[in-house]
Each structure stands twice: as structure tokens, then as C-alpha cells.
């Protein structure tokens, strides 16, 4: 009887520990928890097409004349041009973006909701916000720490334990990098920060490559699909951004190392560049279509649902 009771309580404790561990894993990676909702920042403009061409159109909107093709968009405030590049074994896509005002660089949350594991595809979040151009963000919802400031709103002020810096975007559209251990989220907000991205690492800093050839983001593979964003500091103060998304993990496209992405970014003249969430999350969206080929297993072209995007729009 004593033997039975002893082992019964041992099994009971083991089951309780297993249940607690399972719940923790589910809460971290699977179960969604909505904490707060946000109001979409988009504004709709009426348009009237003046061209019937399927690949080129000019519309008249409150933004002035809009001219767009399969690979470009231009109005009085926003210019986006998409080009495709190729290394020896990898296809990548470059967005050259110029905006007249910092307010056109925005972020959006899946389902307009801040929370844990609240996700949607980059293209669906972009479409619901009338984005002209979009990429996946830093997937803040997969973590319980790390500062979260989106569109000037502070959502999370618990710092992450990481040597990697955060990318911060100020209200004037300029970029900076900070270590969360050196500041508070409220101090960032007070200094004019309107967006934070807690992924990393910083790829280019002050025009110089900031990663080593062996650096990686906790991955077993060095070559991966990647998403990165950078800024070119123009002498006239205009806002000029470069975004690069690479395909990877497939027979057609191996992917890039962090150093290779940093080299690419530097070749476009950026002064600061930052690595966002990659792998199956890496997605570029433009004019209503997914530009790249998102994949996680090398065989299925499919978007991974993410918690947030970076986009250009009204």
C-alpha cells in the first residue's frame, strides 16, 4: 500500500509538471491572447482609372497623379520601385522607397490587435490597411519581452535580455539603434520614437557592416530567407529607405547569411540597416500581390502568419 501511494504521488506530481510545461509551451507558441485592440491608421481615397492597361495605370486621387506598373508606384508623396537581384544561389527583391513625410512609413498589427500569438499573413494585414507596399515586421507576438512601440503607442515596456540592439524609428523618419538595457521604453517614447523593432541584429551602422561572417540568429542554418530594412541619409533631408527580402530554403534559392544581407544593404548606400524576422516569415507585398516566394520547408510556397507588418501607405 505504501509503495502504491508513493508512486501514485510521484506520478501525480509528474503529470502536474508535464501539464504545466505543456501549457507554458502552448501559451508561448500556440494559444493566442488578445490584450488590446488598435484603430487602423488608413485613410481611403477615391480613385478613377484613366488607363485600361493591365500592367500600367494612372489614377487621380487626393495624393495627386498616381502612376503605377507591376514594379513601381509613384504619386506626389510616395515612390516605390521594385527590382529583382540574383547572387550565385539566391534570389532577392529590393524595394527603393522615397516618401515626402515620415507618416507614410507605418506599422500594423494582425487583426488590429496587440497580443500574444495573434497572427495573420503579411498580405492580409497589408490589404486590410490599404498598404501600397509591405513587409513582415519583427514578430513581437512570439516573445514575452522586448519593447513594443507601434505608430507612437507604447504596448510593452519589459526589456529583453539580448545583446542585439533594437531598431528605432523617430517621428521625423530617421533610424537609430539602441540597447534596451540602456534606456526605458518611456524614455524612447519621450525622445520621439514612434516605432521599435526588437529582432536584429543591426546589419549596417554608420555605413559600416556591423555583423561578422559567422554571426547568426540562433539558427542551425546560415543561409535563410531574410527581411531587412535600411535608410539612406540624403543630404537634402528627404526620406529614402531600402528594403530587401530574399527567398531561401529551396532548390531554387538557398538564402542569405546575415553578412551577405549586410553586404547587399551596404552596396545600396545605407547608413543603418536592420535584420527583421526571417525564415518563413519573410514576405514582400506590393500593389496587392506577394512579390517573393515565402517558404519554410523548401517545397510549399506559402506565407507564414505573423503578428505585425511594416508598410508604406496612407
Amino acid at each position: 500500500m505504501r509503495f502504491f501511494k508513493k508512486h501514485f504521488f510521484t506520478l501525480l506530481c509528474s503529470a502536474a509538471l508535464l501539464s504545466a510545461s505543456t501549457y507554458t509551451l502552448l501559451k508561448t507558441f500556440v494559444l493566442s491572447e488578445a490584450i488590446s485592440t488598435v484603430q487602423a491608421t488608413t485613410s481611403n481615397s477615391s480613385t478613377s482609372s484613366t488607363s485600361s492597361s493591365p500592367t500600367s495605370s494612372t489614377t487621380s486621387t487626393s495624393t495627386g497623379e498616381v502612376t503605377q506598373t507591376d514594379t513601381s508606384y509613384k504619386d506626389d508623396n510616395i515612390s516605390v520601385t521594385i527590382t529583382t537581384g540574383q547572387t550565385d544561389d539566391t534570389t532577392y527583391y529590393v524595394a527603393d522607397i522615397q516618401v515626402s513625410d515620415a507618416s507614410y512609413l507605418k506599422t500594423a498589427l494582425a487583426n488590429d490587435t496587440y497580443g500574444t500569438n495573434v497572427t495573420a499573413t503579411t498580405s492580409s494585414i497589408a490589404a486590410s490597411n490599404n498598404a501600397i507596399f509591405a513587409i513582415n515586421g519583427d514578430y513581437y507576438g512570439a516573445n514575452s519581452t522586448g519593447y513594443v512601440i507601434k505608430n507612437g503607442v507604447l504596448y510593452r515596456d519589459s526589456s529583453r535580455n539580448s545583446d542585439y540592439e533594437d531598431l528605432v524609428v523617430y517621428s521625423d523618419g530617421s533610424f537609430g539603434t539602441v540597447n534596451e538595457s540602456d534606456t526605458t521604453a518611456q524614455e524612447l517614447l519621450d525622445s520621439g520614437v514612434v516605432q521599435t523593432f526588437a529582432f536584429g541584429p543591426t546589419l549596417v551602422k554608420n555605413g559600416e557592416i556591423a555583423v561578422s561572417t559567422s554571426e547568426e540568429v540562433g539558427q542551425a542554418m546560415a543561409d535563410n530567407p531574410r527581411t531587412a530594412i535600411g535608410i539612406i541619409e540624403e543630404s537634402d533631408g528627404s526620406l529614402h529607405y531600402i528594403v530587401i527580402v530574399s527567398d531561401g530554403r529551396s532548390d531554387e534559392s538557398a538564402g542569405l547569411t546575415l553578412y551577405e544581407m549586410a553586404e547587399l544593404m551596404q552596396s545600396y548606400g545605407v547608413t543603418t540597416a536592420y535584420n527583421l524576422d526571417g525564415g518563413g516569415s519573410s514576405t514582400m507585398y506590393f500593389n496587392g500581390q506577394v512579390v517573393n516566394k515565402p517558404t519554410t520547408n523548401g517545397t510549399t510556397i506559402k506565407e507564414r502568419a505573423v503578428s505585425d507588418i511594416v508598410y508604406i501607405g496612407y
Side-chain angles (χ1 to χ4, degrees):
M1 190 68 174
R2 288 181 180 177
F3 177 83
F4 174 77
K5 287 183 177 180
K6 178 181 178 181
H7 285 276
F8 174 77
F9 284 114
T10 300
L11 289 172
L12 188 63
C13 291
S14 298
L17 288 172
L18 179 61
S19 297
S21 299
T22 301
Y23 176 75
T24 299
L25 289 171
L26 287 172
K27 183 175 176 61
T28 302
F29 297 108
V30 179
L31 299 176
S32 63
E33 179 185 5
I35 297 175
S36 63
T37 57
V38 299
Q39 185 174 0
T41 59
T42 59
S43 59
N44 295 318
S45 301
S46 60
T47 63
S48 57
S49 177
T50 59
S51 171
S52 58
S53 169
T55 59
S56 178
S57 63
T58 302
T59 59
S60 178
T61 74
S62 59
T63 63
E65 187 178 83
V66 177
T67 303
Q68 61 189 88
T69 69
D70 289 342
T71 58
S72 66
Y73 174 97
K74 186 174 179 58
D75 65 25
D76 287 354
N77 304 306
I78 296 171
S79 172
V80 181
T81 302
I82 308 292
T83 56
T84 302
Q86 186 77 37
T87 67
D88 291 339
D89 59 4
T90 300
T91 302
Y92 61 91
Y93 311 86
V94 182
D96 188 298
I97 302 165
Q98 297 185 61
V99 294
S100 63
D101 187 271
S103 64
Y104 302 126
L105 175 65
K106 305 173 185 285
T107 53
L109 308 184
N111 304 323
D112 292 327
T113 301
Y114 168 73
T116 303
N117 297 315
V118 179
T119 62
T121 61
T122 294
S123 61
S124 64
I125 304 172
S128 66
N129 285 273
N130 297 322
I132 297 166
F133 170 87
I135 52 171
N136 61 285
D138 65 355
Y139 212 146
Y140 77 86
N143 302 296
S144 59
T145 60
Y147 296 157
V148 179
I149 299 174
K150 304 296 183 187
N151 298 323
V153 178
L154 173 57
Y155 292 102
R156 187 167 67 202
D157 60 3
S158 57
S159 61
R160 62 172 176 158
N161 182 21
S162 172
D163 292 333
Y164 288 157
E165 298 170 312
D166 291 2
L167 176 69
V168 295
V169 182
Y170 293 93
S171 57
D172 64 358
S174 62
F175 283 6
T177 55
V178 300
N179 193 301
E180 293 185 6
S181 63
D182 296 332
T183 186
T184 67
Q186 187 60 52
E187 286 172 342
L188 291 177
L189 200 65
D190 293 343
S191 70
V193 169
V194 294
Q195 316 284 356
T196 59
F197 301 99
F199 201 89
T202 302
L203 300 172
V204 177
K205 193 170 187 176
N206 298 321
E208 301 296 326
I209 292 178
V211 290
S212 68
T213 55
S214 61
E215 192 160 353
E216 205 24 84
V217 191
Q219 298 278 357
M221 295 179 290
D223 293 326
N224 279 290
R226 304 280 183 190
T227 301
I229 186 169
I231 188 170
I232 299 174
E233 293 184 4
E234 303 284 15
S235 58
D236 61 358
S238 61
L239 296 172
H240 191 175
Y241 304 108
I242 297 291
V243 171
I244 301 178
V245 170
S246 73
D247 289 334
R249 299 180 184 174
S250 71
D251 293 337
E252 295 180 1
S253 188
L256 298 175
T257 66
L258 287 172
Y259 191 83
E260 288 170 336
M261 177 61 90
E263 285 184 311
L264 269 180
M265 274 292 185
Q266 187 187 50
S267 73
Y268 283 90
V270 303
T271 50
T272 301
Y274 191 80
N275 182 60
L276 295 170
D277 187 21
S281 299
S282 288
T283 306
M284 180 182 288
Y285 170 98
F286 179 64
N287 279 345
Q289 302 291 330
V290 174
V291 175
N292 67 313
K293 297 178 180 178
T295 178
T296 55
N297 56 15
T299 57
T300 305
I301 307 301
K302 183 179 180 181
E303 288 182 77
R304 174 192 288 169
V306 296
S307 60
D308 58 300
I309 67 168
V310 187
Y311 76 98
I312 301 294
Y314 291 94

